[in-house]
Short mmCIF file of all heavy atoms in Angstrom, two decimals:
data_model
loop_
_atom_site.label_atom_id
_atom_site.label_comp_id
_atom_site.label_asym_id
_atom_site.label_seq_id
_atom_site.Cartn_x
_atom_site.Cartn_y
_atom_site.Cartn_z
N GLN A 583 -0.94 24.45 -4.59
CA GLN A 583 -1.66 24.19 -5.85
C GLN A 583 -0.97 23.14 -6.68
O GLN A 583 0.25 23.12 -6.77
CB GLN A 583 -1.73 25.49 -6.67
CG GLN A 583 -2.44 26.67 -5.97
CD GLN A 583 -3.84 26.36 -5.62
OE1 GLN A 583 -4.57 25.87 -6.46
NE2 GLN A 583 -4.23 26.58 -4.36
N VAL A 584 -1.79 22.31 -7.31
CA VAL A 584 -1.24 21.31 -8.24
C VAL A 584 -1.37 21.92 -9.67
O VAL A 584 -2.45 22.39 -10.04
CB VAL A 584 -1.92 19.96 -8.23
CG1 VAL A 584 -1.20 18.95 -9.09
CG2 VAL A 584 -2.01 19.44 -6.79
N ASP A 585 -0.25 21.96 -10.42
CA ASP A 585 -0.32 22.52 -11.78
C ASP A 585 -0.82 21.47 -12.76
O ASP A 585 -0.10 20.89 -13.51
CB ASP A 585 1.04 23.06 -12.18
CG ASP A 585 2.18 22.11 -11.86
OD1 ASP A 585 1.98 21.12 -11.14
OD2 ASP A 585 3.31 22.34 -12.34
N LEU A 586 -2.14 21.26 -12.73
CA LEU A 586 -2.72 20.17 -13.54
C LEU A 586 -2.63 20.46 -15.07
O LEU A 586 -2.84 21.58 -15.48
CB LEU A 586 -4.26 20.09 -13.17
CG LEU A 586 -4.57 19.65 -11.72
CD1 LEU A 586 -6.07 19.77 -11.53
CD2 LEU A 586 -4.04 18.30 -11.41
N LEU A 587 -2.35 19.40 -15.74
CA LEU A 587 -2.44 19.39 -17.20
C LEU A 587 -3.94 19.35 -17.58
O LEU A 587 -4.77 18.81 -16.84
CB LEU A 587 -1.65 18.25 -17.78
CG LEU A 587 -0.13 18.33 -17.56
CD1 LEU A 587 0.52 16.96 -17.78
CD2 LEU A 587 0.48 19.38 -18.48
N PRO A 588 -4.25 19.80 -18.78
CA PRO A 588 -5.70 19.83 -19.22
C PRO A 588 -6.34 18.42 -18.99
O PRO A 588 -7.42 18.30 -18.38
CB PRO A 588 -5.69 20.22 -20.62
CG PRO A 588 -4.42 21.03 -20.80
CD PRO A 588 -3.42 20.47 -19.77
N PHE A 589 -5.73 17.35 -19.44
CA PHE A 589 -6.38 16.03 -19.29
C PHE A 589 -6.41 15.60 -17.83
O PHE A 589 -7.30 14.82 -17.46
CB PHE A 589 -5.67 14.94 -20.22
CG PHE A 589 -4.40 14.41 -19.63
CD1 PHE A 589 -4.39 13.30 -18.81
CD2 PHE A 589 -3.20 15.03 -19.94
CE1 PHE A 589 -3.20 12.76 -18.30
CE2 PHE A 589 -2.01 14.54 -19.41
CZ PHE A 589 -2.01 13.44 -18.58
N GLU A 590 -5.47 16.11 -17.01
CA GLU A 590 -5.55 15.77 -15.59
C GLU A 590 -6.75 16.37 -14.91
O GLU A 590 -7.29 15.78 -13.98
CB GLU A 590 -4.29 16.25 -14.87
CG GLU A 590 -3.03 15.38 -15.05
CD GLU A 590 -1.87 15.91 -14.24
OE1 GLU A 590 -1.38 17.00 -14.50
OE2 GLU A 590 -1.52 15.23 -13.29
N LYS A 591 -7.12 17.56 -15.40
CA LYS A 591 -8.34 18.19 -14.86
C LYS A 591 -9.52 17.20 -15.10
O LYS A 591 -10.38 17.03 -14.24
CB LYS A 591 -8.63 19.51 -15.56
CG LYS A 591 -7.56 20.55 -15.15
CD LYS A 591 -8.03 22.00 -15.46
CE LYS A 591 -6.99 22.95 -14.98
NZ LYS A 591 -6.48 23.86 -16.03
N GLU A 592 -9.54 16.59 -16.24
CA GLU A 592 -10.63 15.64 -16.58
C GLU A 592 -10.49 14.40 -15.69
O GLU A 592 -11.48 13.92 -15.20
CB GLU A 592 -10.58 15.22 -18.05
CG GLU A 592 -10.89 16.33 -19.00
CD GLU A 592 -10.81 15.84 -20.47
OE1 GLU A 592 -11.64 15.03 -20.84
OE2 GLU A 592 -9.92 16.36 -21.19
N LEU A 593 -9.21 13.98 -15.47
CA LEU A 593 -9.00 12.77 -14.62
C LEU A 593 -9.52 13.05 -13.18
O LEU A 593 -10.14 12.20 -12.57
CB LEU A 593 -7.53 12.43 -14.55
CG LEU A 593 -6.94 11.57 -15.65
CD1 LEU A 593 -5.43 11.46 -15.46
CD2 LEU A 593 -7.55 10.18 -15.63
N VAL A 594 -9.17 14.24 -12.71
CA VAL A 594 -9.58 14.63 -11.31
C VAL A 594 -11.08 14.64 -11.27
O VAL A 594 -11.67 14.11 -10.29
CB VAL A 594 -9.01 16.05 -11.00
CG1 VAL A 594 -9.70 16.61 -9.82
CG2 VAL A 594 -7.51 15.97 -10.75
N ASP A 595 -11.71 15.16 -12.28
CA ASP A 595 -13.16 15.20 -12.35
C ASP A 595 -13.79 13.84 -12.31
O ASP A 595 -14.72 13.55 -11.55
CB ASP A 595 -13.52 15.95 -13.62
CG ASP A 595 -14.98 16.43 -13.61
OD1 ASP A 595 -15.36 16.93 -12.57
OD2 ASP A 595 -15.65 16.19 -14.63
N VAL A 596 -13.20 12.94 -13.11
CA VAL A 596 -13.76 11.56 -13.17
C VAL A 596 -13.56 10.84 -11.84
O VAL A 596 -14.51 10.18 -11.31
CB VAL A 596 -13.02 10.77 -14.34
CG1 VAL A 596 -13.31 9.30 -14.18
CG2 VAL A 596 -13.42 11.32 -15.69
N VAL A 597 -12.37 11.03 -11.24
CA VAL A 597 -12.16 10.35 -9.96
C VAL A 597 -13.06 10.90 -8.84
O VAL A 597 -13.60 10.17 -8.05
CB VAL A 597 -10.65 10.44 -9.54
CG1 VAL A 597 -10.43 9.91 -8.09
CG2 VAL A 597 -9.77 9.65 -10.55
N ASN A 598 -13.21 12.23 -8.84
CA ASN A 598 -14.16 12.81 -7.88
C ASN A 598 -15.59 12.32 -8.07
O ASN A 598 -16.30 12.02 -7.09
CB ASN A 598 -14.10 14.36 -7.97
CG ASN A 598 -12.94 14.92 -7.16
OD1 ASN A 598 -12.49 14.35 -6.19
ND2 ASN A 598 -12.37 16.02 -7.58
N LYS A 599 -15.96 12.18 -9.31
CA LYS A 599 -17.33 11.67 -9.55
C LYS A 599 -17.43 10.24 -9.12
O LYS A 599 -18.48 9.84 -8.56
CB LYS A 599 -17.62 11.76 -11.06
CG LYS A 599 -18.08 13.11 -11.50
CD LYS A 599 -18.62 13.03 -12.93
CE LYS A 599 -18.98 14.41 -13.51
NZ LYS A 599 -18.59 14.57 -14.93
#
Side-chain angles (χ1 to χ4, degrees):
Q583 301 299 313
V584 188
D585 46 349
L586 297 175
L587 293 163
F589 77 93
E590 281 184 294
K591 292 197 177 124
E592 293 180 65
L593 275 175
V594 164
D595 195 43
V596 168
V597 172
N598 279 329
K599 279 191 185 140

